[in-house]
Amino acid sequence: MRILTILLLALVTILAVTLVIKSNDVKKIFMKKKIKIIELINYEKISQDYFFKKISVKQGQSFWKFNPFKLKKDLESFNEIKNFTFQLNWSGKLQIKIDETEPFMIWIRDENINYIDFDGNILRFDIEEDKNSIIKLFGNNANLQILELNNILLKKEKTLRNINSIFYQNDIGWKLIFDNNKCVLLPLKKLEKVLDIFQDITKSELYSQFNFFDLRVFRRVYMSDKKC
């Protein structure tokens, strides 16, 4: 009986030591678990280099240090992204699916060209597409002033649809050039009322007779057949 007891104790000791060793091995495996790959899904315009530099999570970092709240905050900071979802699989693959913001205009200053969204925020896109299909915006700080005009133009879809270029001059006003090469000068204030007047003009015979319309003085319209 004593020998049997000793054998049982020895077996229990061996099992305990084995379990400790295996437990340590498992712990080491868990501690070494990494994010093996970060996959960006559904992107077309955004640069991968720009995207991965801006997010805090990195390929090869500890699986256990992944912070979903920090990644959510990172993704919300992109002007270029309007919606997103992400999932970290047990295999170590982090998948980030995005819906990109659509460019609303191209803002041009000298040699600098940027796509901007409806609010005037710069979109750091890496794309080569037909720039004739999108409104061109000119002028220093024009992107900071365009939101008010955009909100008004959105209510006047026909006018917005026919705009080719917009020029901004600080303390002077706006110049809108249309696809038919006609143009209108607008003040910085009372924009909606002035655009209502201009829309009435476009429905009259006057619009076919002139190319240039200056509405910067409220309730007055200067018209000319000169080219814009």
Side-chain angles (χ1 to χ4, degrees):
M1 179 67 73
R2 186 174 180 180
I3 293 174
L4 180 60
T5 301
I6 292 172
L7 289 173
L8 287 172
L9 287 172
L11 180 60
V12 169
T13 301
I14 291 170
L15 288 172
V17 171
T18 301
L19 287 171
V20 169
I21 292 172
K22 287 186 176 181
S23 176
N24 286 334
D25 289 343
V26 170
K27 185 177 180 181
K28 287 179 181 178
I29 292 172
F30 267 59
M31 291 303 293
K32 289 181 179 179
K33 192 169 181 61
K34 305 287 186 183
I35 295 178
K36 296 179 180 179
I37 187 170
I38 304 175
E39 184 179 9
L40 181 61
I41 301 172
N42 200 40
Y43 75 95
E44 292 181 357
K45 305 178 183 70
I46 195 169
S47 161
Q48 284 200 69
D49 288 341
Y50 165 66
F51 177 83
F52 287 120
K53 283 179 182 177
K54 193 169 178 180
I55 61 174
S56 55
V57 59
K58 304 298 179 184
Q59 187 171 308
Q61 78 170 52
S62 170
F63 183 93
W64 309 107
K65 290 184 178 180
F66 173 67
N67 186 334
F69 301 104
K70 181 66 171 67
L71 179 57
K72 179 177 180 291
K73 187 175 180 180
D74 289 342
L75 295 172
E76 287 174 341
S77 71
F78 280 88
N79 293 326
E80 298 80 5
I81 299 173
K82 60 181 178 181
N83 292 306
F84 60 84
T85 57
F86 58 83
Q87 180 180 9
L88 177 59
N89 298 326
W90 180 247
S91 65
K93 177 187 282 189
L94 173 60
Q95 293 181 313
I96 305 173
K97 183 177 181 181
I98 63 172
D99 291 326
E100 294 174 325
T101 304
E102 285 298 321
F104 193 70
M105 293 181 180
I106 298 176
W107 179 33
I108 302 171
R109 305 89 66 213
D110 298 324
E111 299 299 320
N112 297 313
I113 299 176
N114 293 107
Y115 289 90
I116 60 174
D117 64 13
F118 183 85
D119 296 328
N121 298 312
I122 292 176
L123 305 173
R124 301 192 183 280
F125 282 151
D126 183 19
I127 53 177
E128 289 293 336
E129 63 179 31
D130 184 8
K131 293 181 174 60
N132 291 324
S133 63
I134 190 169
I135 296 173
K136 292 171 282 293
L137 176 66
F138 297 86
N140 292 329
N141 298 319
N143 67 315
L144 302 178
Q145 308 296 328
I146 195 63
L147 179 57
E148 180 185 1
L149 179 59
N150 282 345
N151 281 321
I152 296 170
L153 289 173
L154 198 61
K155 302 174 187 176
K156 305 177 188 307
E157 188 176 339
K158 185 178 179 181
T159 300
L160 177 61
R161 189 170 60 245
N162 293 318
I163 294 174
N164 178 278
S165 306
I166 297 177
F167 293 79
Y168 169 75
Q169 290 184 292
N170 188 34
D171 297 328
I172 296 177
W174 299 95
K175 180 180 181 179
L176 278 55
I177 299 180
F178 300 94
D179 292 331
N180 59 8
N181 293 320
K182 295 178 184 289
C183 65
V184 59
L185 301 184
L186 304 172
L188 295 174
K189 298 180 179 180
K190 299 181 179 179
L191 271 172
E192 188 159 11
K193 291 182 179 179
V194 172
L195 275 170
D196 284 339
I197 295 171
F198 179 68
Q199 278 200 323
D200 290 339
I201 293 173
T202 62
K203 298 172 185 177
S204 71
E205 292 184 3
L206 289 172
Y207 191 64
S208 62
Q209 297 175 21
F210 299 98
N211 297 317
F212 180 90
F213 303 85
D214 189 344
L215 283 74
R216 287 173 297 176
V217 178
F218 190 57
R219 297 187 185 282
R220 293 187 181 182
V221 181
Y222 171 76
M223 294 175 280
S224 170
D225 58 0
K226 71 177 183 178
K227 294 183 179 180
C228 296

